[in-house]
Amino acid sequence: MTHDHILDPPAGGRTGGLSHLLDMQTLDRGSITEILDTARAFHELAARPIKKVPTLRGRTVCNLFFEDSTRTRVSFEIAAKRLSADVLNFSAKGSSVSKGESLKDTALTLQAMGVDAIVVRHHASGAPLQLTRWVDAKVLNAGDGGHQHPTQALLDLFTIREHFGRLDGLHVAVVGDVLHSRVARSLVQGLATMSAGVTLVGPPTLLPLAADRWDVDVTHDLDPVLGKVDVVYLLRVQRERMHEQFIPSIREYGRLWGMDRRRLGQLAEHAAIMHPGPMNRGIELTADVADAPNALITQQVANGVAVRMSCLYLMLGGETADRG
Ligand code: NCD
């Protein structure tokens, strides 16, 4: 396969239909497929000794993180650098200004400095959308509160598609703390758009009431589901978001909803295990499950770079001609 097309901006000055990347529900099947196909080309490029392409030379990408993150921030940074963009890391945690004002002030400052894209993680749902009203830069949501985390869903879709060769007709069990999970919200929407089936599994207290209106099956019992699914997607237990008692104890959670060696044996032979990270080994899954050959967790991390390159490329690449 030739990679020439990703060395240059997309043809015709178009931006791949991606103006901002805020959530998964606004991405249709065609847009998701375009992002995943483009990510595939970048993924192949990652296997080459020289991984960098000049596509976004002269562009500036700002990582604006109001919440802790390792893999998402680093992944966006590597993605932007491999596209030859300049990267600015702005960690806003600890600001004493009230949240709304602080975001607006920061946005206006970045705007004045002429950044082309802002990758934002914020504890408030809707903060990335709000940002689009203040700046001309393209906004990429890197996780907003309990709302959305679209690049995580896209890298998960990419990982599943690479592993099985398709998404259509697959069945994914999303297990655990769905209530607090922006990853689950984004992934479930993406899977539905790509015609994959979803079963949510978890304690009643950690499944959103609104799940009744999602196009998914819901159960509290993990064992009967295991033999029927292609992917078991384990969610991190988000203790930092739990302000009440949602589960009897961490030990009990592991016993009822954690993946261990016994449950691994109940999976279909072809089935895969996924987790968005950071993992709590011993809670959502035991160490031997995390390291099992059918665990795709490190592939997810590696694929994240290619998928974020694809998003940045489709959002920023097409504008070069317009700017002259
Ligand atoms: C997720 C997040 O921050 O939403 N992690 C990530 O981006 N890799 C999932 C989580 O923290 O549970």
Side-chain angles (χ1 to χ4, degrees):
M1 182 175 171
T2 160
H3 299 287
D4 292 352
H5 66 289
I6 57 169
L7 300 180
D8 298 316
R14 64 154 178 76
T15 52
L18 272 188
S19 52
H20 301 288
L21 182 58
L22 301 179
D23 55 47
M24 286 303 287
Q25 69 257 34
T26 43
L27 290 181
D28 60 16
R29 202 182 169 94
S31 311
I32 293 178
T33 305
E34 182 180 29
I35 295 168
L36 302 189
D37 289 348
T38 308
R40 180 137 233 275
F42 284 121
H43 186 60
E44 288 175 24
L45 202 71
R48 294 184 178 185
I50 295 176
K51 303 176 188 357
K52 201 160 170 159
V53 291
T55 318
L56 295 187
R57 201 161 47 200
R59 298 314 191 86
T60 306
V61 176
C62 178
N63 280 326
L64 179 59
F65 276 60
F66 288 80
E67 239 188 32
D68 294 341
S69 169
T70 317
R71 74 197 67 216
T72 303
R73 194 189 58 70
V74 172
S75 181
F76 266 112
E77 182 170 351
I78 294 176
K81 284 183 170 163
R82 288 207 181 145
L83 290 165
S84 303
D86 294 319
V87 184
L88 189 76
N89 285 311
F90 189 107
S91 175
K93 201 171 157 66
S95 162
S96 58
V97 190
S98 83
K99 288 162 196 164
E101 277 170 3
S102 136
L103 181 64
K104 182 167 186 178
D105 284 345
T106 311
L108 295 178
T109 305
L110 296 172
Q111 168 83 3
M113 291 180 188
V115 301
D116 298 291
I118 300 178
V119 176
V120 60
R121 170 167 288 197
H122 201 280
H123 37 79
S125 299
L129 173 65
Q130 188 59 36
L131 209 55
T132 65
R133 300 183 178 127
W134 294 322
V135 296
D136 299 326
K138 300 290 176 73
V139 176
L140 292 94
N141 181 2
D144 62 332
H147 179 225
Q148 285 275 317
H149 191 355
T151 58
Q152 179 69 45
L154 289 165
L155 77 86
D156 292 332
L157 293 178
F158 182 83
T159 304
I160 298 170
R161 199 180 75 161
E162 285 294 291
H163 189 74
F164 292 96
R166 68 192 163 95
L167 288 161
D168 226 304
L170 292 179
H171 197 143
V172 180
V174 177
V175 183
D177 186 1
V178 180
L179 181 67
H180 298 99
S181 178
R182 55 196 175 204
V183 171
R185 265 174 200 79
S186 305
L187 180 61
V188 167
Q189 282 167 352
L191 288 167
T193 305
M194 301 312 281
S195 307
V198 175
T199 300
L200 302 180
V201 190
T205 47
L206 291 179
L207 295 175
L209 286 173
D212 287 351
R213 296 195 300 274
W214 302 3
D215 189 15
V216 294
D217 293 328
V218 179
T219 176
H220 308 307
D221 209 353
L222 180 57
D223 288 303
V225 172
L226 292 173
K228 300 180 195 155
V229 294
D230 303 293
V231 178
V232 176
Y233 193 103
L234 302 164
L235 297 167
R236 184 173 65 84
V237 176
Q238 308 224 349
R239 278 180 282 183
E240 79 280 16
R241 294 194 202 278
M242 292 186 192
H243 305 301
E244 319 157 24
Q245 188 77 24
F246 284 91
I247 46 177
S249 72
I250 286 296
R251 218 180 125 143
E252 184 74 350
Y253 180 92
R255 194 177 67 74
L256 293 170
W257 295 286
M259 270 314 274
D260 54 14
R261 192 188 288 275
R262 178 184 66 80
R263 291 199 166 116
L264 197 60
Q266 291 178 40
L267 292 180
E269 208 172 323
H270 70 275
I273 312 251
M274 296 173 70
H275 190 298
M279 289 185 272
N280 294 306
R281 285 182 188 235
I283 302 178
E284 298 104 34
L285 72 182
T286 53
D288 48 354
V289 172
D291 301 327
N294 56 338
L296 305 181
I297 300 163
T298 43
Q299 282 97 312
Q300 287 172 268
V301 177
N303 294 338
V305 175
V307 167
R308 291 177 174 120
M309 285 174 83
S310 168
C311 294
L312 287 168
Y313 165 77
L314 291 171
M315 291 171 80
L316 293 180
E319 280 183 352
T320 311
D322 305 340
R323 291 188 158 203

